[in-house]
Amino acid sequence: MKLPISWLKDYIDLDGLSIEEIARKLTLAGLEVDEIKYVGLPMPNGAAPGMHSSERHEFKTSGMSWERDKIVVAEIREVRPHPNADRLTLLDLYDGQQSQTVLTGAPNIFHLKGAGKLPKPLKVAYAKEGATIYDGHADELVLTTLKRAKIRGVDSYSMVASEKELGISEEHTGIIILDEDAPVGMPLVDYMGDAVLDINIVPNMARNANVIGVARELAALTGRQLKKPTIKYKTEGQPVEELVSIEITEPELNPRFVLGLIRNVEIKPSPYQIQRRLRLAGIRPINNIVDATNYAMVDIGEPLHAFDYDMLKERAGKKNVKIITRTAKEGEKLTTLDG
């Protein structure tokens, strides 16, 4: 189980505990930490910002720290055409201190080229000249330092970063677009610096295969208070049992299956902080609906699945929907989403 420290902090105050102390306490309690991956937060014992991996410490460590003065939150105010390259753009960017002209080939903002001043600036992760990052074009994790160069006649000395360049994930086809509340000029490590504990969950510890489970153990180990989640939501409209029913064919195998119906859903990307947490936990973000089910599973240990009610209604011939749970029939095959 890959557990981001930032997620753990939702349920327990970790002030005064180093990441290695947390890993040690969990390991001694039976939740063995195999590795600590640093994603922005300072590496242990003053390791260099660009250090990729080390065996010198009690736990195997990997990752990198983000330099506070060189990797910050910035905002893109305009995406202009490059005078000599169709696939490159020039960004009018503000880093909290001064305006910069930044060259990029990022495809996820290419559609904004030539659109003029953006009505809402895009918040991004900005690496200044001299910053140490990963090479986004290398097959492996290769550290590089940003140096001034001239690309197609335009000075380039800094960049807006992808997740791969900051060691968050392997994603490098586009730059990170942060949530709107990201404070411009703030060191990125203060905004979203993290570390990930890779925990070996053994069968007798299955109750801890979720964030709140690990937080509960850590609260018991440290004498700190567990901040239990408050889950409240408004229910209204036609009762769900009038719209959809459940048939459980073998209750001894599936004793509990519960349905809820959410109307007027807009399918769109999840907020970036949700996507980032899922990626650090080893789950690929899809959209807000799928991400919500995966997030809840990792968060509180509740497996969920989202069905498209309109599609089920169509398949039911406009009749009320019935969802049936059963075991496979003899010789029956199905194709999963990943083929």
Side-chain angles (χ1 to χ4, degrees):
M1 174 186 176
K2 297 183 187 301
L3 175 59
I5 289 291
S6 65
W7 206 335
L8 194 58
K9 287 180 178 179
D10 285 356
Y11 298 118
I12 183 172
D13 180 3
L14 299 178
D15 286 351
L17 290 174
S18 72
I19 294 166
E20 289 199 331
E21 283 180 286
I22 294 167
R24 186 181 306 113
K25 288 180 182 296
L26 291 175
T27 297
L28 292 176
L31 291 167
E32 184 178 357
V33 176
D34 292 332
E35 183 177 356
I36 304 172
K37 177 185 176 183
Y38 289 83
V39 189
L41 288 179
M43 300 284 281
N45 299 336
M51 190 171 79
H52 171 53
S53 63
S54 175
E55 304 288 349
R56 293 180 302 164
H57 308 286
E58 183 176 351
F59 297 94
K60 181 182 177 184
T61 59
S62 64
M64 67 183 298
S65 58
W66 300 331
E67 299 153 284
R68 297 179 57 82
D69 59 334
K70 291 187 173 68
I71 301 178
V72 301
V73 176
E75 65 179 19
I76 298 173
R77 296 176 170 178
E78 185 176 359
V79 182
R80 303 194 305 270
H82 188 290
N84 305 313
D86 292 339
R87 295 190 178 185
L88 299 177
T89 56
L90 299 178
L91 309 178
D92 177 10
L93 178 142
Y94 180 65
D95 66 7
Q97 295 180 331
Q98 57 187 340
S99 294
Q100 310 281 354
T101 298
V102 181
L103 184 148
T104 184
N108 59 330
I109 57 170
F110 193 78
H111 64 288
L112 299 172
K113 182 176 76 168
K117 292 286 184 183
L118 301 180
K120 276 188 179 178
L122 296 178
K123 304 294 181 64
V124 294
Y126 176 56
K128 300 180 181 181
E129 183 176 6
T132 300
I133 59 172
Y134 289 124
D135 185 342
H137 301 290
D139 293 335
E140 304 294 332
L141 290 175
V142 178
L143 289 168
T144 185
T145 300
L146 292 180
K147 297 178 181 177
R148 189 171 291 264
K150 196 173 285 290
I151 300 177
R152 301 295 292 271
V154 174
D155 276 342
S156 177
Y157 52 88
S158 60
M159 66 184 299
V160 281
S162 69
E163 288 195 343
K164 181 174 182 179
E165 285 150 349
L166 295 179
I168 297 171
S169 75
E170 289 297 310
E171 180 60 44
H172 63 89
T173 55
I175 61 170
I176 298 169
I177 305 295
L178 300 172
D179 296 329
E180 291 181 9
D181 64 354
V184 174
M186 174 180 281
L188 195 67
V189 63
D190 291 347
Y191 178 63
M192 64 179 203
D194 219 328
V196 180
L197 304 178
D198 193 345
I199 304 174
N200 181 20
I201 304 287
V202 292
N204 67 315
M205 288 283 192
R207 66 186 182 275
N208 297 321
N210 53 81
V211 179
I212 196 168
V214 177
R216 183 174 54 231
E217 296 288 333
L218 196 56
L221 292 168
T222 61
R224 301 183 181 211
Q225 184 176 359
L226 176 69
K227 296 181 280 187
K228 294 181 180 180
T230 301
I231 302 173
K232 294 181 180 180
Y233 49 88
K234 183 180 180 181
T235 59
E236 60 184 2
Q238 189 175 358
V240 67
E241 56 265 26
E242 296 178 7
L243 300 167
V244 58
S245 60
I246 304 171
E247 180 183 332
I248 299 174
T249 60
E250 299 189 52
E252 67 278 7
L253 297 179
N254 179 22
R256 181 173 170 83
F257 194 96
V258 180
L259 295 178
L261 180 64
I262 305 173
R263 293 187 176 278
N264 303 317
V265 171
E266 178 189 357
I267 298 177
K268 59 184 180 180
S270 299
Y272 178 69
Q273 291 284 37
I274 298 297
Q275 294 187 45
R276 185 184 66 86
R277 276 189 174 179
L278 287 174
R279 281 202 178 97
L280 292 179
I283 297 174
R284 182 168 63 94
I286 305 295
N287 58 46
N288 55 338
I289 306 304
V290 178
D291 294 353
T293 64
N294 286 330
Y295 193 93
M297 178 180 66
V298 176
D299 192 44
I300 60 174
E302 178 63 65
L304 297 172
H305 181 75
F307 297 90
D308 185 327
Y309 179 77
D310 292 336
M311 185 178 293
L312 295 182
K313 188 79 173 175
E314 188 71 29
R315 285 171 55 181
K318 305 299 183 182
K319 299 177 183 177
N320 279 4
V321 171
K322 177 188 279 189
I323 292 178
I324 304 170
T325 74
R326 61 172 176 82
T327 56
K329 297 174 182 177
E330 184 70 28
E332 188 175 23
K333 295 181 179 180
L334 57 83
T335 304
T336 58
L337 290 175
D338 62 0

